[in-house]
Amino acid sequence: MKKLIFTASLVLMTVSLFAQSGQSAYTSVYDRTIDLNQKALAFGLAEAQFNAIKYQAYTNPNFLQGKIFQDDQLIRDNVPMRYNAYADEIEIKKNISDETYSALLKSPDIFVRILNDIYVFIPLNGSNEKGGYFKILNDGKTYDLYKKDKAEFRQARKAQTSYQQDTPPSFVMQTTYYLVKDGNFLEMPNSKSRILKMMDSKKSEMKKYIKENDIDFDKEADLIKTIAYFDSLL
């Protein structure tokens, strides 16, 4: 699959764990076991408080069937998994009925497909610890469109006046889009004019396309179509 893993500006980590076979190879993709009780304590919340908000940290709280790839080779199929946008982890189970789950090893040569969604891990300045997962929305010949979801934890806040209400703790999802070329990430702006400026080389064609197709950049589907069309002109 083209350009899923960049080699020009990223340092790839050799993963010898997958040289094994059978059950040992399967368990080797687990980085660590996640302690659910420790999660509540980490936020300073009672278990009931944490349980009330924990699913806000996921783009989809359900474990869905997925595939694990090393480079372009499928190494495991039918793995229940989901993306944790707060911890920036791919959580996986051995079986859908399991109550416990673990976190996938973070490595730039490992990517996953959860149903039709592809997540790749991109190091930052060669560091896996500073890197993160991105969802590929469009894989073009010149430009790709990546999406980064990040859930931010917000503490409970007491009302300051009698006209206000207490605010409970919560996870708030923030989404950022990136135009990617040759491993370079350009954050997509929010305004239509600034987005068009990123496509200056085909500005007249893009203005016509946006007008004729009534493009709304607040809609992800429209953004994907626009970037795909722009890439087709290059």
Side-chain angles (χ1 to χ4, degrees):
M1 185 174 295
K2 181 179 69 65
K3 294 189 294 180
L4 286 182
I5 307 299
F6 296 111
T7 57
S9 59
L10 306 177
V11 179
L12 297 185
M13 180 179 72
T14 302
V15 183
S16 59
L17 296 171
F18 292 99
Q20 306 171 58
S21 60
Q23 184 64 21
S24 60
Y26 177 54
T27 57
S28 70
V29 300
Y30 295 99
D31 185 23
R32 62 179 176 80
T33 299
I34 298 174
D35 189 329
L36 297 181
N37 293 326
Q38 289 299 318
K39 277 193 169 186
L41 294 174
F43 294 109
L45 302 176
E47 185 176 355
Q49 288 178 303
F50 178 72
N51 287 338
I53 66 169
K54 63 183 180 181
Y55 293 124
Q56 297 173 0
Y58 298 89
T59 53
N60 187 329
N62 299 315
F63 280 90
L64 304 173
Q65 293 298 322
K67 305 174 186 288
I68 302 174
F69 297 82
Q70 184 181 14
D71 295 323
D72 285 336
Q73 300 299 314
L74 177 65
I75 61 172
R76 199 69 191 179
D77 199 356
N78 298 319
V79 180
M81 60 179 72
R82 65 184 179 184
Y83 174 59
N84 184 325
Y86 175 80
D88 199 13
E89 292 179 331
I90 302 294
E91 297 175 349
I92 52 180
K93 291 182 176 184
K94 292 182 180 179
N95 299 290
I96 194 66
S97 59
D98 287 348
E99 293 186 3
T100 59
Y101 52 90
S102 301
L104 186 68
L105 177 72
K106 292 183 178 181
S107 171
D109 61 352
I110 298 173
F111 68 92
V112 302
R113 181 191 290 271
I114 305 175
L115 295 183
N116 293 321
D117 296 334
I118 296 176
Y119 288 87
V120 294
F121 180 80
I122 306 295
L124 178 63
N125 297 326
S127 170
N128 282 6
E129 291 184 3
K130 297 178 181 180
Y133 283 102
F134 294 81
K135 179 179 173 182
I136 299 179
L137 298 181
N138 184 69
D139 183 25
K141 64 179 187 295
T142 302
Y143 285 100
D144 300 328
L145 181 63
Y146 280 25
K147 177 182 181 180
K148 179 66 179 177
D149 288 311
K150 186 64 180 176
E152 176 185 318
F153 175 68
R154 296 186 180 176
Q155 297 279 2
R157 290 183 296 173
K158 288 288 186 180
Q160 300 299 308
T161 70
S162 59
Y163 297 100
Q164 298 176 332
Q165 293 183 333
D166 291 345
T167 303
S170 64
F171 288 100
V172 178
M173 194 70 69
Q174 298 178 338
T175 298
T176 307
Y177 297 95
Y178 293 90
L179 196 60
V180 182
K181 179 183 179 183
D182 298 329
N184 296 312
F185 284 62
L186 302 174
E187 184 174 337
M188 297 288 294
N190 294 323
S191 71
K192 177 180 176 180
S193 61
R194 293 177 65 191
I195 291 176
L196 270 171
K197 191 169 181 61
M198 298 181 75
M199 299 180 281
D200 259 352
S201 61
K202 301 292 180 181
K203 188 173 182 178
S204 60
E205 296 96 323
M206 294 309 303
K207 289 181 71 174
K208 180 180 178 182
Y209 175 82
I210 291 168
K211 182 178 180 180
E212 290 181 347
N213 291 275
D214 194 23
I215 293 296
D216 181 355
F217 286 119
D218 290 331
K219 297 179 180 179
E220 184 174 284
D222 280 6
L223 181 61
I224 294 172
K225 287 192 300 184
T226 302
I227 298 303
Y229 181 70
F230 172 60
D231 185 74
S232 72
L233 298 176
L234 301 175

